[in-house]
Structure formats: structure tokens, C-alpha cells
Amino acid sequence: MYTPNLRLIDLEPKADDFLGDVEKGLNSASKYLSPKYCYDQIGSKYFDDICQANDYYLTRVERSIMKQIEMIKLDTAKPVAVVELGGASSTKFRELLKHLSHVQMYMPIDISRELLFSEAEALAKDLPDLQVKAVCADYQQLAQFPWQEHLTGMTPLLFFPGSTLGNLSMEDTHALLKICKAIVSDDGYMLLGADLLKDEQILVNAYSDSDRANERFNLNVLHRINRELEGNINVDQFRHDVRFNRAEKKIDINLVSLIDQTIQISGKDYHLKKDEPIYAESSRKFERSDIETLTSTHGLQPTEWWTDARDYYAVILLKSVPI
């Protein structure tokens, strides 16, 4: 059925090379597995469980902050175009709409084509006065995307909730913020979710929750290797290890071998020593000064902060300024 206010843009992001990435990670001097491979159908269900876990406050607190915001005031007379990074689900955008006026267009961007396009179709039908342009792409493709062609005559608001910025390396963080600046140009805004630095035990508990949802999620990559790559990994011989790196203000998660062992994947052997870690993921935590320094480097100036009563988490409005 034709939906006049909907446009689906498929940049055909390159398919992941699961086996190649696993081989590269396990042949590295410091072994690692990319956390993106935890997110198959089973892993995505485990992540939903994490978001419901009592110890994992991030999703719950961000949602509470968004509900408490009355209106997000942008200094513009133009209609607003909301561009959401990681917007396969429209749930957070639908909530954001309650706090914004003059929104004319919504551009969700995600690599998950099927979910992205189906959600965009549903949103376009629910809100026929809203222009919906869904873009299937990975972050690397966004640097060459013709943003101004799509955003002419509107004020862009880049929406990046979920504290995802903290999951990136510093190199990738700077690369992404450079893209963010290109999207908002010289007169746009960014609405950013960020997890704040707090007591070490609260942070550790969030990623090693008593429900063990985080453990199931991170160990799922080993199960997925067995399912899809002819692996013979005994997952019970690995421990989910969560530590706070105080110097770098980040949580580090590793899958630690409990014994000396040899695992086989697609006919190749990989040797692990007892207590040898396989890096799984990190989550950086921020002080206000960290965010101000980081974003200002890319011409994004914090203008308003919303936090919860305990200062666990922040939603920040940033204004694009000349560099």
C-alpha cells in the first residue's frame, strides 16, 4: 500500500563477516570478540531482559528523565527534522514528540533493515502529517550522505539516546561526533543520552546484575559461534567478568577462560590459557566536564541538562556552534 509521507532509503550496508571477525579477534595478541555479534534474535531478547533487570538502571532512568521534561525549546522559527541514530524502533521518538513542537520530518537511521522499515511504515501510517525517511546504513556510510539535500529549510535535531556514545572507543567517538556535526550543520541541535560517573559498586552491579541477564547476553556470542560457525565451545568453561577501570572511567567486560583449553571454530583451533580474557565490551562513564570538553571539540555546545534526582544519568541538549 502506497504511503505518501514515507520514504525508505537503503544504502545497503555491507554484510558482517562473522567468521572473519571472530578469526581476527581470537588471533589477536589480546583476544576480543565484537559485542555486535551478541545481537542475534536470542541475544536481543537477553538485552531486553537486561533493560528490565533491577540493577541495570540506565534504560529506566533515561525514560524517567524524558517523561519529566516538559518542553525542549529550540531557538528556531523553522520546522524541525529529528534524525535518530539507532532508530530501528520508533518507541523513543514517539515519546520525544510529546516534548517538541513543529516537528515536520523524522529520519531514523539503523543497520537493522527489516525492523527499521517496518517501524517506519507503522509510524508513517499513524502520523500522516509527519514526513518519515528511514535510512538503512552503518555509521561509516553517514559521512558521505547528502544531509543538506534532505534537511534544507529545516532545523535538524539529532537524537542519540541510550548512552551508546559510551560504548565506543575514543577514536570511534570522535569519528561519530564529526558525523554528528555534519548532520546538524551550523544551526542545528543534538539531544544526547549519557551515563554519568558514580559509585563503583553501582556501576559493577549494573553489568553483573543479580538476574544474570548481562552474563547471558555476553556469553551469547559464544553460543552463537557454536550455532553458526561450527564451534565446539564449552560455554560453561568461561566466566563473565566485570571490572571498573577507574583511570579511564569505564566498565570493562571480559569472558575469562576457567581452564587451559583449545576450542575449534570452522575447523581451526584456538588456544586459551587459564584466566585468559576475551574482551567483550566496554561502557564509558562521564563527568559533566568530560561531555563538555568532548562535544565542544566538535562544535556542539551543551545548553541544557536534565538529570534524575541521584545524578545517575543525563539527557543533554547541545547547540551547534562554529568551531
Side-chain angles (χ1 to χ4, degrees):
M1 180 179 174
Y2 174 66
T3 307
N5 60 322
L6 174 67
R7 182 178 174 188
L8 305 178
I9 302 170
D10 189 355
L11 299 186
E12 299 181 356
K14 184 180 178 182
D16 289 325
D17 180 6
F18 187 18
L19 178 58
D21 288 343
V22 167
E23 290 178 343
K24 182 179 178 182
L26 294 183
N27 282 322
S28 174
S30 298
K31 293 181 174 63
Y32 67 90
L33 292 169
S34 172
K36 68 181 178 181
Y37 292 114
C38 291
Y39 289 94
D40 61 352
Q41 187 174 5
I42 295 173
S44 295
K45 170 61 170 65
Y46 288 155
F47 185 75
D48 289 341
D49 293 341
I50 290 173
C51 294
Q52 301 300 319
N54 289 329
D55 296 314
Y56 190 81
Y57 58 85
L58 288 85
T59 305
R60 185 170 58 253
V61 173
E62 183 184 60
R63 188 180 296 124
S64 72
I65 293 170
M66 290 300 300
K67 287 182 177 179
Q68 292 169 16
I69 295 173
E70 292 185 4
M71 288 299 293
I72 298 171
K73 298 177 181 178
L74 307 181
D75 185 16
T76 180
K78 299 177 183 177
V80 175
V82 176
V83 180
E84 182 176 358
L85 296 180
S89 169
S90 62
T91 302
K92 291 185 178 181
F93 170 72
R94 289 176 186 263
E95 179 63 31
L96 177 64
L97 270 181
K98 301 174 185 177
H99 312 286
L100 279 174
S101 59
H102 309 299
V103 177
Q104 179 175 300
M105 188 171 72
Y106 174 52
M107 293 185 70
I109 301 165
D110 204 281
I111 198 169
S112 303
R113 182 184 293 102
E114 184 175 346
L115 177 60
L116 173 70
F117 286 175
S118 64
E119 286 272 322
E121 289 170 1
L123 183 68
K125 290 174 182 176
D126 290 345
L127 301 173
D129 293 331
L130 178 72
Q131 293 296 315
V132 179
K133 295 183 180 181
V135 183
C136 181
D138 61 35
Y139 288 160
Q140 288 79 13
Q141 293 174 297
L142 301 183
Q144 287 77 41
F145 190 75
W147 294 106
Q148 299 314 307
E149 175 185 319
H150 292 273
L151 301 174
T152 298
M154 291 180 282
T155 296
L157 172 66
L158 181 59
F159 186 36
F160 196 25
S163 71
T164 306
L165 195 70
N167 299 129
L168 306 177
S169 68
M170 285 309 299
E171 180 181 358
D172 288 342
T173 296
H174 283 290
L176 183 59
L177 285 174
K178 186 176 180 179
I179 291 171
C180 292
K181 174 64 173 179
I183 294 172
V184 301
S185 190
D186 292 329
D187 61 350
Y189 293 83
M190 182 175 182
L191 192 65
L192 175 67
D195 195 22
L196 301 178
L197 189 65
K198 58 186 69 65
D199 180 79
E200 178 177 333
Q201 196 57 53
I202 294 170
L203 292 172
V204 170
N205 289 347
Y207 295 89
S208 56
D209 61 281
S210 56
D211 298 325
R212 301 178 70 178
N214 279 276
E215 178 181 339
R216 290 191 296 274
F217 172 75
N218 283 291
L219 287 172
N220 181 57
V221 70
L222 302 181
H223 288 292
R224 187 177 176 189
I225 288 170
N226 286 344
R227 290 192 296 268
E228 300 180 22
L229 301 180
E230 301 176 14
N232 71 343
I233 302 171
N234 183 349
V235 180
D236 290 338
Q237 297 297 346
F238 288 86
R239 172 170 52 89
H240 178 251
D241 184 75
V242 178
R243 297 177 187 272
F244 180 62
N245 183 329
R246 185 176 299 277
E248 298 186 27
K249 303 177 188 175
K250 66 187 178 81
I251 287 287
D252 288 325
I253 300 176
N254 290 280
L255 308 178
V256 179
S257 178
L258 297 178
I259 58 172
D260 290 335
Q261 59 179 309
T262 297
I263 61 175
Q264 191 174 81
I265 302 170
S266 295
K268 293 184 180 180
D269 290 340
Y270 300 90
H271 306 286
L272 293 105
K273 298 177 182 178
K274 184 177 184 295
D275 296 324
E276 182 175 2
I278 301 175
Y279 170 79
E281 64 172 324
S282 293
S283 183
R284 192 177 306 277
K285 309 304 171 182
F286 299 95
E287 295 182 86
R288 287 198 181 203
S289 58
D290 298 327
I291 295 172
E292 289 168 350
T293 300
L294 182 62
T295 58
S296 295
T297 300
H298 296 275
L300 298 164
Q301 184 69 50
T303 61
E304 193 159 4
W305 295 74
W306 295 276
T307 63
D308 59 290
R310 296 177 294 185
D311 262 359
Y312 274 16
Y313 194 93
V315 175
I316 310 116
L317 181 66
L318 304 108
K319 175 75 173 72
S320 182
V321 296
I323 299 177

